[in-house]
Amino acid sequence: MKKLTGAEIRQTYIDFFVEHGHTAVPSSSLVPGGDATLLFTNSGMVQFKDVFLGTDKRPYKRAVDSQKCMRVAGKHNDLDDVGRDDTHHTFFEMLGNWSFGDYYKKEAIAWAWQLLTEVWGLDKNRLYATVFKDDKGDIPTDEEAATNWLKQPGFGSDHLFYMGRKDNFWEMAETGPCGPCSEMHFDLRPDEGKVTAETLDTDRFVELWNLVFIQYNRLSATQLDPLPAKHVDTGMGFERLVSVLQGVDSNYKTDLFTKSLDVLRSLTGKTEKEMLADFTPYRVVCDHARTASFLIADGVVPGNVGRNYVARMIIRRAARFGTKIGLHEPFLAKVAEAVIATYGASYPELEKSRGAILDNLTREEIRFARTVETGTAHLENLLSEIRAQNAALSSSKGKTVLDGHRAFDLYATYGLPFEISRDIAREEGLEVDEAGFNAAKDEHSKASGGGKAMGKMGGEDAEFFAGILKNLQKKNKLGEHGVEYDPYTSPRVEGEVLALIVNGESVGSASFGDPIEVILPKTGFYIESGGQVNDTGTIRALTPHPSPKNARGEGSEGWEIEISSMRRASAGVIVHMGEVISGHPKAGDPCIAEVDMARRHDIMRNHTATHLMHAALHQVLGGHAVQAGSLVAPDRLRFDFNHPEAMTPEQIERVEKIVNAAIAADMAVTPKLKSRADAIAEGAMALFGEKYGETVRTISIIPEGVEIIDESAVEHPTALAEQQPKFSYELCGGTHLERTSDIGTFIIVSEGSAAAGVRRIEAVTGRGAYELIARRLKALKQVAGMLKSGIEDVPEKVNSLQDQLAAAAKQISSLRVEMSKNEFSELIPLAQGAKGTTVLAAEVEEADAEKLRMLTDQFRDFYKSGACVLVSNIQGKPTIVASVTEDLIKRGLKAGDLITAIGGRGGGRPNLAQGSLPDTLKASEALSKVVNVVEEKLK
Ligand code: ATP
Ligand code: MG
């Protein structure tokens, strides 16, 4: 059988159950909706929980899905196994088919068996099933499931085992829906002899699929009531299935991980053999990079609490395992690219979040790199202290566990997550006290009020901030206009911390992990407006490097706050919002606030490009194409404008061309403050719905070679507009490049409808454009390589291939008709007369369903009146096709009935039906019944 790719296997699963009446349902997010009790979706059941509880109803009774799952926290935590074995991941996909009060054990078991053994052809001798038998003796044994297993064709009775509550009874919670389950295990090493219930639990076996039969409602520890409507909930480990079907001995050797491992191996320069000899770090990195990519795509970015902590821990742990194979520079974004390439088609959210995924990974690696060495050095000291104490005690009874609160200090001060401290400790035969760590973390987050959303929105706290402003003005720390705002020329500002606000209260100092708001005398951080997003960056103590005296970081003057957002809290008060990522900032500390300029530069490219595009749209579509909305972000720009219909491909191309020409022309981008009336009179574009003050900032983009006129010499603004042709002229408070050529390249990614009469363009520039081009060029090169042609010749080559293909298909089909004529003539002698018509029942060798259909066409052509049944054995599957001429249909004979009447399964139209014969029925036996059936049915 042909080896299927992972993507094909996923699709086959979905298709199989859709064919059996299931509705294909998309995976829900890794972050469970409306379920605060659960950190992550950890099984397929989560999105259907309310259906089982009876509080939610779906429009279908059968569903099939592939669900994104995570098991790194809470009740299901497989982190210890990940990387160490070949079958557990932190993130994995769970394939599931579901019955909500519809079909039950009989169908669920038969389909599972059919799919695994018939559709996918798994060796029946290597599959084992378990069913429930209560070890406590209270709940009845699941004989119903056992009987059904034993009924499956080719299922050996010595392949069934009874298991107790731990393995084979599923409960959602202390009370509620529950029931027995039945698991399928696959034998990886069948040559190792006899299998017992105990062997199933060893690494000779891999657990593939768990079928849960929800039939009870638990009311108390001792009371189980039968449910009126019984359900089926199944979960199959997708990666494990793929490894079994692809015949490899590790999930990591499937095509799901090929790309990631290739990237890693090329980064380390190791051979495949060397890699396999030291496989654990590769496995960990690939697993974690995949998990982090999916997490970020679902909106979970690295942080200090809850889900965000898990994202941070996973990335940092991957980075640390990277160092074990010699990777010290940030490398995870490269692995994530491979993850996106592998999964992007099935999970489009990955493609959509590419920018965020790559950015977050690299930033987190850089952040970690800043502190990890000092952190691990401190940990090493603590561990050697323990060892020294043990040696002094000279006994094996010495302490082997590192205090939880010390481990927390290592996290708070150096960003070493608990899991990493534990990895390091374990490498030296020691442990870390997890409960103590969690207690210290809880205590800390309570003390800093962590978890609560910070700052109030909608200006509710404007009064509070007005009070702070007054106070600072009284102390002469701020002037009458409040905080000075200059996002245009001051990306780096030194100053004093004027105020720190934690959870709505002004505080003297803050510490690690605190969500915080900071007021400085002056800022260069842009505040979101006119579509341009907030700046991000850092505020640090002026003494740049912390030199802590102890692991808590006390005595240190170094600290750092990561700024993720900005706001105007009240008139004159600008607030930086973020999180303390190291040390203890204090009010009054001298500090330096620095905008993330790489990101800002990307934003400026997109903003200047937005102006160029706006002007180009006017040239191409007309003056009505005015801005209706805009987003200027680092990774893309989005622009909505008035236009009644979709742009044509030519129009889009022209806009793109004009903008790129304007970029190449290296025009000067000039900001100027003016009175609003003058600017409007000069023809500057103002935006509908924007508020403008009396003085406005204008941005003009003027072609080179145009003489810049001394404005003071011109009397009327309108006269100036005529004399000074501008490429673009807008009122705008945003930040811009100095010259258009800094944009690099501009590419339109999409054009579509945003609302009635409003179109939306998304485009990329600079780095984003380069990445897009590189990605597409690579794909094109691949195609050219496959076609063995030059890139430019690809369209022509594809055209001619398509022509060839069409010609070949035509030829094949006429050849097949010819052939079937010949073959049909061999069948003619087998035809018999019956009730005034002709009946042909025959076995045909090596024919697929299509060929059988062709032969029945020949039959109908040749005989005008008659019934024909043909059987062929294709890949061990007896396929049957029946055909009946119109006159016989009128006399009461239908093709589908003919198949069922002789013991087959299947159906179709009255004149043509298709199906199969059960394994137990011989073809010759079935065919021998045809004449009788025809005679009986014909009136
Ligand atoms: P195991 O005992 O192997 O950890 P489990 O009993 O925890 O499996 P279930 O909760 O029954 O597994 O989940 C259903 C299926 O999901 C399993 O049969 C298995 O194929 C797969 N699975 C479970 N945990 C993981 C994991 N961490 N990584 C990959 N697949 C998993
Ligand atoms: Mg498990």
Side-chain angles (χ1 to χ4, degrees), residues 827 830-831 839-845 852 868-872 879 881 923 927 930:
L827 294 175
L830 301 177
V839 177
L840 172 62
E843 225 172 321
V844 182
E845 266 170 45
L852 292 181
C868 167
V869 179
L870 300 177
V871 176
S872 173
T879 301
V881 172
L927 288 169
V930 173

Side-chain angles (χ1 to χ4, degrees), residues 465-539:
F465 280 97
I468 292 186
L469 175 65
K470 232 187 225 151
N471 213 349
L472 288 168
Q473 283 167 333
K474 228 187 274 164
K475 291 190 203 151
N476 278 331
K477 298 265 183 188
L478 279 179
E480 62 164 323
H481 296 296
V483 176
E484 196 185 324
Y485 180 54
D486 176 16
Y488 309 114
T489 59
S490 312
R492 239 175 102 103
V493 175
E494 286 183 18
E496 172 189 340
V497 174
L498 296 182
L500 293 173
I501 294 101
V502 176
N503 291 306
E505 272 172 47
S506 192
V507 294
S509 74
S511 49
F512 171 80
D514 284 347
I516 198 165
E517 297 183 297
V518 188
I519 299 175
L520 305 177
K522 176 176 176 179
T523 187
F525 283 65
Y526 187 78
I527 307 168
E528 176 163 347
S529 89
Q532 179 177 334
V533 300
N534 284 318
D535 275 336
T536 63
T538 54
I539 302 179

Side-chain angles (χ1 to χ4, degrees), residues 747-876:
I747 295 184
I748 293 179
V749 179
S750 67
E751 192 271 350
S753 164
V758 180
R759 306 298 300 173
R760 166 170 294 177
I761 285 184
E762 293 209 329
V764 289
T765 68
R767 294 198 293 175
Y770 168 73
E771 275 162 24
L772 182 78
I773 295 170
R775 219 162 48 235
R776 298 203 169 158
L777 208 53
K778 192 167 153 197
L780 197 56
K781 276 184 196 153
Q782 268 170 354
V783 173
M786 279 149 65
L787 294 172
K788 301 205 171 40
S789 81
I791 287 191
E792 312 277 334
D793 304 330
V794 164
E796 200 182 316
K797 194 96 184 201
V798 170
N799 257 336
S800 90
L801 269 181
Q802 274 172 337
D803 290 347
Q804 282 174 33
L805 211 60
K810 221 167 149 189
Q811 212 173 4
I812 289 173
S813 86
S814 71
L815 279 175
R816 288 189 77 151
V817 172
E818 277 312 306
M819 271 165 66
S820 66
K821 267 187 196 151
N822 286 338
E823 279 175 57
F824 178 68
S825 61
E826 285 169 27
L827 294 175
I828 294 177
L830 301 177
Q832 326 172 25
K835 277 216 170 170
T837 186
T838 310
V839 177
L840 172 62
E843 225 172 321
V844 182
E845 266 170 45
E846 283 179 41
D848 57 12
E850 199 194 332
K851 185 156 162 200
L852 292 181
R853 280 196 302 272
M854 266 183 195
L855 288 170
T856 60
D857 287 348
Q858 299 284 341
F859 174 86
R860 282 199 310 251
D861 271 1
F862 190 80
Y863 283 109
K864 311 297 178 219
S865 166
C868 167
V869 179
L870 300 177
V871 176
S872 173
N873 210 335
I874 311 160
Q875 289 158 354

Side-chain angles (χ1 to χ4, degrees), residues 198 377 400 427 463 466 475 650 666:
E198 284 71 42
T400 54
E427 282 159 17
E463 237 169 82
K475 291 190 203 151
E650 294 73 38
D666 191 26

Side-chain angles (χ1 to χ4, degrees), residues 71 76 78 81 88 207 240:
R71 294 194 173 177
H76 283 295
D78 289 341
D81 291 324
H88 284 90
E207 178 192 322
R240 297 183 187 183

